[in-house]
Amino acid sequence: MKRMLIVDDEPFIVSGLYEFMMLGSGLELDVYKAYSADEAIDWLQRTKMDIVITDIQMPGMSGLQLLTLIKERWPHCKVILLTGYNAFEYVYEAIRHDGVRYLLKTEGHDAILELVRAAISEIEEARQTADLIETANRQMQLALPVLQKDMLYGLLRGERLPAERRSRRFRQLNFPLQAERDVRLMLARLEYSGEAADGDNRDENAFRVNLAINRYIGVKYEKAFLIGEDGTLVWLLQRAASLEEDMNGDSESYQLKGNLELVLEMCEEMTGMSVHFLLDDRRVAWDEAADRLAALRKEIFSLPAVGGKGSIAGYTNGSSPMPKAQAHDAALLQVKKLDLLGSYLETGQKREFSDLLEEMRHSAERAIAADLPQAALGIYYPLSLMLFAHVHGWKMEEQLHALQEPDLRIAYNPALAPDRAGEVFSRIAELLFEWRRNEQDNRVNSVILSLQSYVRDHLEQDLSLVRLAEVSRLNPSYLSRLFKKVTGINLNAYIQETRLGKAAELLRESEYKIYEISKMSGYDYPPYFTKIFRKSLGMSPQQYRDFHAGNLPGTGARA
């Protein structure tokens, strides 16, 4: 919906144009009225206007002076200048500005409507111009490395993306790896000694190592590189699709380690530091990458320098049934994801929360199956603290009454029944999301009810979308959509229904004159009120009054 401002010092012109644009234009417009340049400036300071129709000659400030202010504040606003005189100097001044049209008032509403439609078309086209798209694409290309890195950090923190969404995101960001293929992780740790021990050039040396990787490994692999928060260098590798079938997994690992020897030699020559590489001996699915990285990161810090030299090692672990040590480590890795789980809860991302909670439960249950209940409790106690922190923070203790008393005791003390704790926590999570959704609905309903009350109490005053947005502290466009979603009717339609309802009540029950009722109902221009009333109720205000007074239409004397 486009926002339009009509400015003229003659009320009948403003009201006539307002009525035509609202009722006869066939356009979806949010129309505002101003009877002086000062009123127009007030509107322009409060909200963006898409189109301004203004008289050129007004007391105090001309339309041309107003035009200058409009273009300073809202340079993309389209302006239609109206005048009763065909004065060349006005035309010349107007055409010096982009997006400005000049029209004689004598040309009528249809000519104005044609210009308004043309202005709307220009606004729509401006959003899709080749220059704008080219600029956006250019800025996107500049931002790609940052966006790629943010996405990669998220994946390696354990953020879950459905396969289809992950594939789409990879394509959108032109990510060098494929979402449909498994990935191999490789880590490196830089060890400094002597003059390099202060690590002043850590980032520079990290990129030197990456350059060496590009030289000796990059030809046969697509890869992504990042520097972890702990200074660990991380590569994610996928063998080039054209070479995928030329060797088995073991042969590939041997070749990678052989090339890493060349990388080590080059790094020692360039930087004089020791580099320790840890290569995962198998590929993993993207959903496993975060857990695999955590395990590799733990392992790489146990690799010592030998004679001041770097090292290369492979990482392998078994598959289920899990040895006790692996079950214990897997459980501990889940604890590191509690912050991510809490952020999903805070932001209402129920699906992502549920997926991650299910993963944590699965790790705890595997630890219990491996006769490691303490490892499972290492997940469940921090989880209990996180969930109850939200319960107390959101003041929803009463909602916990939905739990049976034994389950509530388990929630506070998972050691009472580790095998049931996961199920209990899933139930608490459901209660939290249900409460959060209800609270949001209540807040929305409260906003709409307050707005409806404000409209009923201020019918004589400004009830423009801009004013109501100020009252409700919401963006005008969002407020309009929200009102329609909650009530099922357009906000402007609700205001008009309420105003006409008040007018009908006053006509039936009061002795006020019709022009007074027009004003009290929020219609400054009585002829416009009469037209709107007749269109809505099928009779004029006077006929309506007479009908309800038991008089014949047209015989009343209280107009």
Side-chain angles (χ1 to χ4, degrees):
M1 183 180 292
K2 299 294 181 290
R3 212 168 288 148
M4 173 187 287
L5 177 62
I6 299 170
V7 190
D8 201 303
D9 60 316
E10 298 183 64
F12 75 92
I13 291 179
V14 174
S15 297
L17 261 178
Y18 178 87
E19 173 192 330
F20 176 72
M21 288 300 167
M22 290 292 286
L23 301 178
S25 68
L27 301 173
E28 280 197 37
L29 295 168
D30 187 20
V31 186
Y32 298 82
K33 297 180 285 187
Y35 300 105
S36 68
D38 287 340
E39 281 188 50
I41 290 170
D42 182 57
W43 280 119
L44 291 163
Q45 289 174 338
R46 291 167 66 187
T47 188
K48 171 185 74 70
M49 292 293 173
D50 298 299
I51 302 169
V52 174
I53 300 175
T54 180
D55 187 14
I56 282 184
Q57 292 180 313
M58 294 183 292
M61 177 184 290
S62 72
L64 292 176
Q65 291 171 312
L66 179 61
L67 169 62
T68 301
L69 293 174
I70 292 170
K71 287 300 180 179
E72 286 177 358
R73 190 168 187 86
W74 306 111
H76 301 294
C77 179
K78 305 300 179 183
V79 180
I80 299 173
L81 294 169
L82 302 179
T83 184
Y85 305 95
N86 191 3
F88 174 77
E89 61 270 22
Y90 292 147
V91 180
Y92 176 75
E93 184 65 26
I95 62 176
R96 291 177 58 226
H97 295 271
D98 182 44
V100 178
R101 290 168 171 79
Y102 174 88
L103 194 68
L104 292 172
K105 290 182 180 180
T106 55
E107 295 186 57
H109 288 171
D110 288 341
I112 295 174
L113 179 59
E114 184 178 342
L115 292 185
V116 169
R117 285 177 173 154
I120 291 173
S121 295
E122 286 182 12
I123 293 170
E124 297 295 337
E125 289 170 7
R127 295 175 180 169
Q128 303 173 6
T129 60
D131 287 346
L132 186 61
I133 293 172
E134 183 180 346
T135 299
N137 288 338
R138 194 161 52 243
Q139 292 175 343
M140 182 68 174
Q141 290 300 316
L142 292 173
L144 271 180
V146 175
L147 296 174
Q148 289 175 350
K149 192 148 290 187
D150 283 347
M151 181 188 69
L152 188 56
Y153 273 120
L155 289 171
L156 295 179
R157 281 181 59 215
E159 291 181 13
R160 298 286 179 174
L161 287 176
E164 182 179 342
R165 185 177 166 197
R166 182 167 57 233
S167 296
R168 184 170 62 250
R169 190 69 175 147
F170 275 32
R171 289 193 300 271
Q172 288 172 339
L173 297 182
N174 198 24
F175 196 59
L177 304 182
Q178 296 179 30
E180 299 79 12
R181 295 174 59 200
D182 291 349
V183 64
R184 187 188 298 270
L185 278 77
M186 182 173 72
L187 274 61
R189 174 170 60 87
L190 308 183
E191 188 166 305
Y192 295 87
S193 61
E195 294 181 359
D198 59 4
D200 286 343
N201 299 319
R202 284 180 186 270
D203 287 347
E204 182 180 340
N205 287 331
F207 284 102
R208 284 177 179 167
V209 175
N210 189 45
L211 285 174
I213 292 290
N214 288 340
R215 178 169 181 176
Y216 291 110
I217 294 178
V219 176
K220 295 186 177 181
Y221 284 86
E222 301 295 342
K223 61 196 175 304
F225 168 68
L226 59 84
I227 304 174
E229 295 176 355
D230 57 0
T232 307
L233 312 188
V234 181
W235 291 268
L236 292 92
L237 307 173
Q238 285 179 343
R239 193 164 176 80
S242 60
L243 304 173
E244 185 65 16
E245 303 300 329
D246 69 350
M247 61 175 61
N248 61 37
D250 289 340
S251 297
E252 183 185 353
S253 293
Y254 296 148
Q255 187 181 66
L256 277 167
K257 290 172 185 174
N259 287 330
L260 285 176
E261 292 180 13
L262 298 172
V263 173
L264 268 182
E265 293 172 5
M266 184 175 178
C267 290
E268 288 170 359
E269 290 177 6
M270 285 194 305
T271 65
M273 62 183 173
S274 301
V275 185
H276 302 282
F277 286 101
L278 181 62
L279 177 68
D280 197 342
D281 282 339
R282 69 179 179 89
R283 304 171 190 174
V284 295
W286 283 100
D287 285 342
E288 300 175 54
D291 288 344
R292 198 68 174 177
L293 175 62
L296 287 163
R297 184 173 275 143
K298 177 182 176 183
E299 186 75 14
I300 196 171
F301 282 97
S302 68
L303 295 176
V306 180
K309 300 293 185 180
S311 60
I312 301 169
Y315 179 81
T316 306
N317 66 358
S319 57
S320 185
M322 297 175 68
K324 283 194 173 185
Q326 292 175 22
H328 182 269
D329 288 349
L332 290 181
L333 291 175
Q334 296 301 324
V335 177
K336 297 181 179 180
K337 298 180 182 178
L338 276 172
D339 286 344
L340 180 59
L341 192 71
S343 71
Y344 286 153
L345 182 57
E346 287 282 354
T347 55
Q349 299 181 71
K350 184 176 181 181
R351 184 178 62 184
E352 290 82 357
F353 179 95
S354 299
D355 289 346
L356 185 52
L357 179 59
E358 183 63 28
E359 179 186 323
M360 297 175 79
R361 282 184 59 186
H362 185 54
S363 288
E365 288 162 5
R366 287 195 294 180
I368 292 171
D371 197 25
L372 288 168
Q374 294 306 315
L377 293 176
I379 295 175
Y380 285 150
Y381 273 116
L383 180 57
S384 173
L385 288 173
M386 186 273 286
L387 290 174
F388 278 106
H390 283 85
V391 167
H392 298 313
W394 292 352
K395 302 188 186 325
M396 55 166 290
E397 290 85 355
E398 288 187 9
Q399 277 67 29
L400 293 184
H401 293 160
L403 294 176
Q404 298 293 328
E405 183 62 30
D407 287 347
L408 193 55
R409 286 199 297 270
I410 292 170
Y412 279 108
N413 184 9
L416 294 174
D419 58 327
R420 291 206 58 245
E423 179 185 343
V424 172
F425 289 135
S426 292
R427 177 67 181 129
I428 291 175
E430 284 292 330
L431 292 173
L432 281 164
F433 277 101
E434 182 181 344
W435 179 89
R436 191 178 188 280
R437 184 173 59 253
N438 291 338
E439 280 296 295
Q440 287 176 332
D441 290 344
N442 290 339
R443 284 197 295 270
V444 167
N445 290 333
S446 176
V447 168
I448 298 304
L449 288 173
S450 296
L451 190 68
Q452 290 174 323
S453 176
Y454 182 88
V455 168
R456 291 192 298 269
D457 294 342
H458 298 81
L459 291 175
E460 297 180 57
Q461 300 177 22
D462 173 20
L463 292 180
S464 65
L465 185 55
V466 170
R467 176 57 188 154
L468 295 179
E470 291 171 348
V471 169
S472 59
R473 304 187 180 208
L474 296 173
N475 171 267
S477 299
Y478 176 73
L479 175 61
S480 179
R481 293 194 303 271
L482 185 66
F483 191 92
K484 178 70 178 289
K485 180 181 178 181
V486 173
T487 65
I489 63 172
N490 183 279
L491 179 54
N492 284 333
Y494 173 77
I495 294 170
Q496 185 141 293
E497 286 179 11
T498 306
R499 280 176 160 162
L500 290 174
K502 179 66 173 178
E505 177 187 331
L506 291 171
L507 287 167
R508 292 192 309 269
E509 301 176 6
S510 78
E511 296 293 325
Y512 290 112
K513 297 184 182 298
I514 289 177
Y515 75 86
E516 293 174 323
I517 292 174
S518 171
K519 179 71 174 175
M520 294 167 70
S521 303
Y523 296 99
D524 294 331
Y525 191 52
Y528 177 64
F529 164 65
T530 298
K531 186 166 186 175
I532 290 290
F533 193 95
R534 185 190 298 276
K535 183 175 181 178
S536 179
L537 278 77
M539 62 182 75
S540 70
Q542 185 62 58
Q543 289 170 328
Y544 182 87
R545 168 172 269 175
D546 292 340
F547 178 82
H548 284 277
N551 299 327
L552 292 175
T555 61
R558 287 173 288 180

